[in-house]
Amino acid sequence: MLNRYPLWKYLMVIFVITISFLYAAPNLFGEDPALQVSGSRGTQVTPAILTQAQQSLQQAGIDVKSAALADNQLLIRFRNTDDQLRGKDLVAEALGEDYITALNLAPSTPAWLEAIGAGPLKLGLDLRGGVHFLMEVDMDEALNRVQEQMVQDFRTDLREQRLRYSGVLAQDGGALMVFREAEVRNQALSYLRGRYPDLVFSERDSGDNAGLFAVMSEQRLKEVKEYALQQNITIIRNRVNELGVAEPLVQRQGAERIVVQLPGIQDTARAKEILGATATLEFRLVDESADVAAATTGRVPPNSELFSDRSGRPVVLQKRIILTGEHIVDASSGMDEFSRPQVNISLDAPGGSRMADFTKDNVGRPMATVFTEYKPTDERDEDGSRKFRKDQEVINVATIQSRLGRSFRITGIDSMAEAQNLALLLRAGALIAPIQIVEERTIGPSLGQQNVENGLMAMVYGMLAVVLFMAIYYRKFGLVANVALLANVVIIIGVMSMVPGATMTLPGIAGIVLTIGMSVDANVLIFERIREELRDGRGVQQAIHIGYEKAFSTIADANITTFITAIILFAVGTGPIKGFAVTLMIGILASMFTAVVGTRALVNLIWGGKRLSKLSI
């Protein structure tokens, strides 16, 4: 019999719409203004801290909606943004500098929806508010690090080749090697020129000494700068993802700058700490021959440096750096056999080879792990750029027991929370060079809310106009199309809430509005085809059947070409263009389902199999 669906098709339609509604439902509950409290440098957030924060708010008469401690973070929800802003200052003052207090927006999704993995749709910077940073990579520091590495490599190479030198020092953007004999200098030049083809060597004699100066070629300089920029982009993206910032935008701008957008972040200080933390590790040998007492008075051996450990005790380390954190590919926290916190390190292939070659020749000697952090200061250079302070601390000194490879561990860490924090920073990566923020913009939640309301208003007005037109022009069939239209919107929002990488932006709302028009367009094609068949004298059931069958190919052609265009937009576009493309692709699939399968199911249920002489269309 014509126009009858089997039971499984009705169940499929009900299942799709029900699941979509469940995952779209969290968007109805909104978000609460909140404070997020976490420990600085791995400080533990305990129930006592929760009590202390609550007491400070109660004494000020601030009504708290809820406060919970989970995953070493404290989340305090407020009833309005005024209480949230007042509460931030009070909690930050009560807890001190050991804790980071950040403004946030927390979804108020019911627990039963969270249990099935449902959550609100992620909103972009233009809708939710957040922060926008334009960051500049300190290329001078990147070049200085390469220069320091050149000096260390030259010293190692000359020692291995048994070429006696008076000194190797950084100078004029390169490295100057000083020899007592011109013959030795010539031997060094012959060896190093073949080993380092991307360096430019020149003779530089001074008095009785024969000098050899090495500087990077123009091509090498470009490669170093490009590597510093690309690596910093990757590391910032990894770091933001590790710390839970939803849907960030991180992309390059020009030769030295990076654009970062963090939707939902209201506290710029917290965002700066996430992005600007330049932390890495260095592994060096302890200078056992040095007099520590003399070093503290300023008499440090020429090839060594004075450091302090976590207890403030002086430690003299060799200047030569065995390995840096840029070779770390993974880091995880754990416990050793004595239940003490440790960090497990995994190196890349070059780093593992270097560590293995070094440790096999230094078994029994103490090696130190140095934690290096670059912090911005209030001082500025002549060009106006901010200066950075280099803080270094010895977190571990251990005797090399055997040859190390690509995996080893660091012990001597104070707490498990600190081990987790260190592992996170190392896993996210160490910035190749410090960065400074040259432009900062904050989009407040009020502006974001205004954008949301304007976008929703446009979508509602557009839907009302379409709904009225369809109901008046196509009568009962128009009502069927309107039901499918509402189901289409529910499916789009539900699917976008389920997809991990989907973010709703203003262009995304435009994509939904466009999809609504396309969905109605498909129904118009079907209904007009049914009208045409009725005018040609077909029976009602036959007209409905032929209308859907003949219109399908036209609808499919139009949607497939649009879908291909959306794929191209997603492939070559960035930022808002990608958001528009994702919404459009999901909308096309949803509109095809609702316009063809959904309306057909309703039409079959209402009119299918009945003897009818006329149709309300």
Side-chain angles (χ1 to χ4, degrees), residues 78-127:
F78 298 89
R79 300 190 184 279
N80 54 67
T81 54
D82 291 337
D83 287 346
Q84 178 198 31
L85 295 174
R86 288 176 56 209
K88 177 186 181 299
D89 296 333
L90 291 169
V91 171
E93 183 179 354
L95 300 184
E97 296 181 356
D98 290 338
Y99 297 90
I100 301 166
T101 306
L103 298 173
N104 209 336
L105 294 171
S108 53
T109 307
W112 66 273
L113 282 174
E114 289 184 342
I116 63 172
L121 188 62
K122 299 178 183 66
L123 301 180
L125 191 67
D126 51 358
L127 298 181

Side-chain angles (χ1 to χ4, degrees), residues 203-220:
E203 298 178 1
R204 186 177 288 186
D205 298 338
S206 176
D208 295 334
N209 293 324
L212 180 61
F213 183 70
V215 68
M216 287 180 284
S217 64
E218 288 296 326
Q219 181 63 29
R220 176 61 176 157

Side-chain angles (χ1 to χ4, degrees), residues 11 22 71 211 226 318 387 493 560:
L11 293 176
L22 284 175
D71 299 328
E226 181 68 18
Q318 294 184 5
K387 291 184 177 181
I493 296 175
I560 288 172

Side-chain angles (χ1 to χ4, degrees), residues 136-143 145 228-229 231-232 235 278 374 388 430-436:
E136 188 170 78
V137 180
D138 188 346
M139 290 299 178
D140 290 338
E141 180 62 29
L143 295 175
R145 293 189 184 184
L229 182 69
Q231 193 71 0
N232 272 6
I235 289 164
T278 310
Y374 289 85
F388 288 82
L431 295 176
I432 299 301
I435 55 177
Q436 57 180 325

Side-chain angles (χ1 to χ4, degrees), residues 3 470 473-474 477 520-555 595-596 599-600 603 615 617:
N3 304 322
M470 295 297 289
Y473 195 72
Y474 290 108
F477 266 69
V520 173
D521 183 53
N523 286 319
V524 168
L525 288 173
I526 294 170
F527 296 165
E528 287 299 325
R529 185 72 191 200
I530 294 174
R531 279 179 162 185
E532 185 180 332
E533 295 299 325
L534 290 172
R535 284 195 296 268
D536 290 343
R538 304 275 189 185
V540 169
Q541 298 298 336
Q542 193 175 15
I544 293 174
H545 178 74
I546 294 175
Y548 273 96
E549 291 294 323
K550 294 293 180 67
F552 177 77
S553 59
T554 305
I555 295 170
V596 178
T599 59
R600 185 70 185 271
V603 169
L615 203 59
I617 193 172

